[in-house]
Amino acid sequence: MLLKHSLSIRQVFAFTWKVDLMLLACCSLLYFLDTHYFLLQLAIPASISTALGTALAFFIGFNNNQAYDRWWEARKIWGALVNDSRSWARSLLYYQSNTEAAPQTMVRHMIYRHLAFVYALKTVLRKRPDDYYTRYLTREEIEQVQKENNIPNAILNLQARDLQHLRNTGAIDGFTFMELNQLLVKHCDEMGQSERIRNTVFPPSYLYFTRMFIWFYVLMNTLLMIDTIGIWSIPFGWMFGFVFHATHLNGTFLQDPFDFQPMAIPLDNISRNIEINTIQLLGDEPVPAPVQPRMDGLYIM
């Protein structure tokens, strides 16, 4: 996730340099071919460029709006997970009706096991191998959850089992049990909502046709300007392409909010904050260090 409210020119071109080079190469090639090999000179009306550019702007705007909706929904889901994680740890630690009957080791392990759920869910969404979650599970639990296809869901099953044990032993009363069970339901909902976004592919036709229309628009405008401004049509053609491609790239980066890239949801940072809050609540040491921003404070993962 980006942290700064403004970008330098160097940072902008760090994101767009590949497209910039392709634009300059295509515009230069088109100028060379039109100047030396195209015998038929086509007079393209400027009104066509205006109409196509307006339609393309609306198309890209709709595309970016849908992409931002996916990104913002993902951010709200993980914001809710942060709050529910704090409530889960606090409720287990303090809302015990019979502290003598409550196995404190089990309670603390259930609190730590939730960190395993958070990190396992992050691993599933990022689709990057990471066994960090295993440090908060016992050896038997690791073997048990890794037998299932959905590891975060398997961890929630362990939580539900131990929560029922606390109720059966009288460690928590019925009202506390219902509240804690409701938190488990929320964790499951947040997991399912995240998986829905991750597993629902943004329609590839949007990407394909938008890119195709942008390139067509850039090449047509370059041809339109060659007869009037000559070689200056190359940088001006690049300018047209840069505006539309950069705008389109913004939406493209937001379409998959859980990817490991600068504009995605900062799952590393959110997970680490949940971990820090939980360990400090329990009064344990050591407390892990926060995730550090990258690229001179430009973004955080």
Side-chain angles (χ1 to χ4, degrees):
M1 183 179 72
L2 296 178
L3 298 177
K4 294 184 177 180
H5 296 286
S6 61
L7 299 175
S8 66
I9 298 298
R10 180 180 64 86
Q11 292 167 340
V12 170
F13 284 107
F15 288 112
T16 64
W17 67 271
K18 292 181 180 180
V19 173
D20 293 330
L21 291 179
M22 292 177 62
L23 285 169
L24 289 173
C26 288
C27 292
S28 300
L29 178 63
L30 190 62
Y31 172 79
F32 177 79
L33 293 176
D34 183 73
T35 304
H36 295 86
Y37 293 98
F38 290 174
L39 300 179
L40 179 62
Q41 300 296 324
L42 296 178
I44 304 175
S47 58
I48 295 180
S49 174
T50 303
L52 182 59
T54 302
L56 187 57
F58 278 109
F59 196 72
I60 295 175
F62 175 80
N63 192 348
N64 287 3
N65 283 338
Q66 301 307 309
Y68 182 79
D69 284 344
R70 283 167 62 96
W71 184 91
W72 183 238
E73 183 182 3
R75 186 62 188 90
K76 290 192 294 184
I77 291 170
W78 273 75
L81 181 59
V82 171
N83 296 336
D84 293 337
S85 299
R86 294 166 178 166
S87 298
W88 171 260
R90 183 171 54 250
S91 299
L92 273 175
L93 190 62
Y94 295 124
Y95 297 164
Q96 301 172 30
S97 58
N98 188 346
T99 56
E100 294 181 359
Q104 295 302 313
T105 302
M106 175 180 289
V107 169
R108 292 176 64 87
H109 183 58
M110 290 176 67
I111 294 174
Y112 274 119
R113 189 192 286 146
H114 180 71
L115 298 180
F117 164 76
V118 172
Y119 276 103
L121 179 59
K122 185 201 77 168
T123 300
V124 170
L125 297 176
R126 280 273 173 85
K127 295 184 178 180
R128 293 167 60 91
D130 186 2
D131 60 354
Y132 187 88
Y133 71 93
T134 58
R135 67 176 56 195
Y136 293 116
L137 299 174
T138 64
R139 185 184 303 274
E140 293 75 15
E141 290 173 343
I142 295 173
E143 295 176 355
Q144 182 176 348
V145 300
Q146 289 183 345
K147 292 178 182 178
E148 301 192 24
N149 293 331
N150 193 321
I151 293 179
N153 188 62
I155 295 175
L156 289 183
N157 293 338
L158 297 177
Q159 297 284 62
R161 180 199 65 188
D162 288 353
L163 182 61
Q164 183 62 52
H165 178 78
L166 292 179
R167 177 70 184 101
N168 293 339
T169 58
I172 57 176
D173 57 30
F175 292 106
T176 303
F177 172 81
M178 290 170 50
E179 290 296 327
L180 288 170
N181 183 66
Q182 187 60 36
L183 285 174
L184 279 182
V185 173
K186 289 183 178 180
H187 296 158
C188 187
D189 289 343
E190 289 149 0
M191 174 183 66
Q193 291 166 356
S194 299
E195 292 172 339
R196 169 175 51 81
I197 295 175
R198 182 56 177 168
N199 298 329
T200 302
V201 178
F202 198 88
S205 56
Y206 280 108
L207 297 177
Y208 175 79
F209 286 111
T210 302
R211 289 170 180 166
M212 183 178 70
F213 293 159
I214 291 175
W215 281 107
F216 177 74
Y217 180 72
V218 170
L219 296 180
M220 187 189 67
N221 273 284
T222 303
L223 281 175
L224 179 65
M225 293 183 292
I226 287 177
D227 292 336
T228 55
I229 60 177
I231 197 171
W232 284 100
S233 61
I234 296 176
F236 277 96
W238 166 81
M239 289 171 58
F240 277 108
F242 176 80
V243 170
F244 282 99
H245 272 296
T247 305
H248 179 56
L249 282 175
N250 283 330
T252 303
F253 285 133
L254 297 177
Q255 287 172 7
D256 294 310
F258 298 121
D259 278 353
F260 191 77
Q261 48 97 358
M263 296 185 68
I265 301 300
L267 297 185
D268 291 348
N269 182 56
I270 296 175
S271 301
R272 180 58 57 83
N273 287 339
I274 295 175
E275 184 180 16
I276 292 173
N277 293 159
T278 300
I279 293 177
Q280 288 179 336
L281 176 66
L282 294 173
D284 291 343
E285 296 287 345
V287 178
V291 175
Q292 297 300 314
R294 304 187 181 197
M295 199 175 172
D296 298 328
L298 176 61
Y299 64 91
I300 195 168
M301 300 302 293

